[in-house]
Structure formats: C-alpha cells, structure tokens
Amino acid sequence: MTVTKTQTPVSVAKGRQAEGAEPAGPARSERLSALVQQHGALAVLVIVSLVATFSFDSFATGDNVSNMATSSAFLAIVALGMTFVIITGGIDLSVGSLFALGGVLAAWGSRHGTLVALLLPLVVCGAVGVVNGLLVARSRLAPFIVTLAAMLGARGLMLAITDEGANTYLIGKGSFLAELGQGTTFGLGNPVWIMLALFVAGAVVLRRTRFGQHVYAVGGNEDAAALMGAPVARTKILVYTLSGVLAGLAGALNAAWLASGVTILGNGMELEAISAVVIGGTLLTGGLGYVSGSLVGVLLLKVIQNVINQIGSLDSSYQQVVSGAFLAVVVVAQTWLGRRRQLM
C-alpha cells in the first residue's frame, strides 16, 4: 500500500514565498550604498564642524557662522544651476566668467537704477546660457567645448566693459541694491535667504514637476527619454539657460555685497561649483543628483577653507589640495558604488 504525502496550504504558501522572496542581503546593501551616496557628505560636514567647534574658539561664533553663510551663498547659487546641468549629463565651464560678468553689469547698471542693475546681468548671462544650450542640444556639440568658448567670451566681454579692468564700477551706499547685498534679516545676510529660497524652489522643480522628471530622464538615458516623448533638446536648453541666469544673479548679489563690480572674481568658480555638486552626490555621468546635496557640498568646502584659515600656519592654497583630494575620494567612491549596484 502506497502512502501519498500531500502538502498543506500552509507549506505551499511558504514554499511560494521562499521562491519569490528576494535575498535580503543585496537589497540591504543597495539601500546602504544609496544612503552613503546621498548623505555621506552631510555626515562628513557634521564631523568636521564638530571637530572645528571644539578645536577653535572662534569657529562657532555668530560672526564667523554668518560670514561663512554669506560667502557660501554666492557659490551655492552657481552650484544650483550646475546641479541641473550635470544631472542631464552636461557640464558648464562658463559660470565663473558669467559670475564676474554679472557683477560688473550689475555695478554698471546701478547708475541707471536698481531694476536695470538686477535685470541686465540676468538677461545677458541668460542669453549666454541659451546659446550654450542651443549649441549643445541642436548642434550636438560637446558641452565642454561649447561652455569653454563661452567662458572665454564672457571673460573678454567683461574686460571690454571695464577697459581691461582699469575701470571699477561702484554701487552707491544706501541704494536698494546695496541693501539687498549687505543687509541682514534675523541675523543672516539677505543673500543667504535668497539662496535658501532658490534651493527650495529648485528642489520642488526637480522632484515635483514634469520638467524635473525630464531632467533626470535625459541624464539617465537620452535615447530612451526621446522614445518616451521627453523634449530632450528643450530640456537641455532650459538647464543651460538656468545655469547662466543663476550665475549672473550670484554675480549681481556679490557685487551688491562688495558695493562694486570686481573684475578678478570668478576665476576657478566653475571648478568649485562642479566639486560641490559632485561631493554632494550628483553623478558626473548624469541621471542622479540632489539639490540638497549640492548645498551640503558647498558648505563642506567653505568649512574646510575656514578651518584652514583658523589654523593660521597653513597657506590658503592647502584648501585647494584638501578639496581636490576629497573630490577624488568621492568620485572613486561613486564609481565603486555604481559598479556594485550593477552587480547586485
């Protein structure tokens, strides 16, 4: 007599659950990798700030924190526009020159009123961004070459306006533009509040709008985005235009803060902005990035610079050494995490 064993419904359900269940290890490891990539810079910023607070008496003072916040605001505004560009897989080397050009145009335009001083740099720098976007999107030229040419052209235009730096345009004291750059609200400079408002708006646009979805789609896979109906060319033109406008705005606010259009500013700012964006977790290859991470990256660079200044015995050039080394570590870590995700 043969006895046939039958499986109970409970055992069958358990078997199906076991067959369909995904390994917990790889999923947990993938979540950890994503967490490190998104919030790693924030953890480093907190650690460095705590060490500096206990090491230097003047680091955590109100004046020092306010100065760091204000000086960070201008680079952060530039980095915000750079974030959008890099997420699409592009690069914008013209922002440093546009920053300087925007400051000079704002100071020159202040002689004709505050409205001209604010609109002129936005229009001119935005127009340069439009040209960059058209050449990259429509002519399919390499962003590196296009924005490099724009960097040289904007710097040349700025030198032509100032007679090769011989003329420095001043912003009158007591004007609305000067108050916008030098005034404070609740203990923080007005440029800081403007920067924070822009970052909130940028985060909403990137995460909650169709345009933001298109930005990620273009950076993730341009051909797939086009097949899905995403306006690839228009998205690229808009992000480069946004980058130019924000660079001009940052330059105008900086000129208002200094009460003059200084021609020597902006050299190397494009590299600082790229460093801050990448340190904040945005992939240079595009398709992944965080507005909040870019702000953390800017703050981390400024805190490192401030710590080196607090030490006193180190030259300011060491800040570039530390920033470069940290950027190299972040890029290597991003590459490793990306390859690890592909293997999971």
Side-chain angles (χ1 to χ4, degrees), residues 65-99:
V65 171
S66 178
N67 289 333
M68 277 196 299
T70 304
S71 61
S72 300
F74 311 116
L75 176 60
I77 293 173
V78 176
L80 176 60
M82 186 70 75
T83 303
F84 280 79
V85 172
I86 292 181
I87 290 177
T88 62
I91 202 78
D92 191 353
L93 299 180
S94 65
V95 292
S97 296
L98 292 179
F99 175 83

Side-chain angles (χ1 to χ4, degrees), residues 27-45:
R28 188 181 301 111
S29 179
E30 186 175 355
R31 289 196 299 268
L32 181 61
S33 299
L35 188 65
V36 170
Q37 184 168 8
Q38 184 173 0
H39 301 295
L42 179 60
V44 175
L45 174 62

Side-chain angles (χ1 to χ4, degrees), residues 98 162 230 318:
L98 292 179
T162 60
Y318 281 94

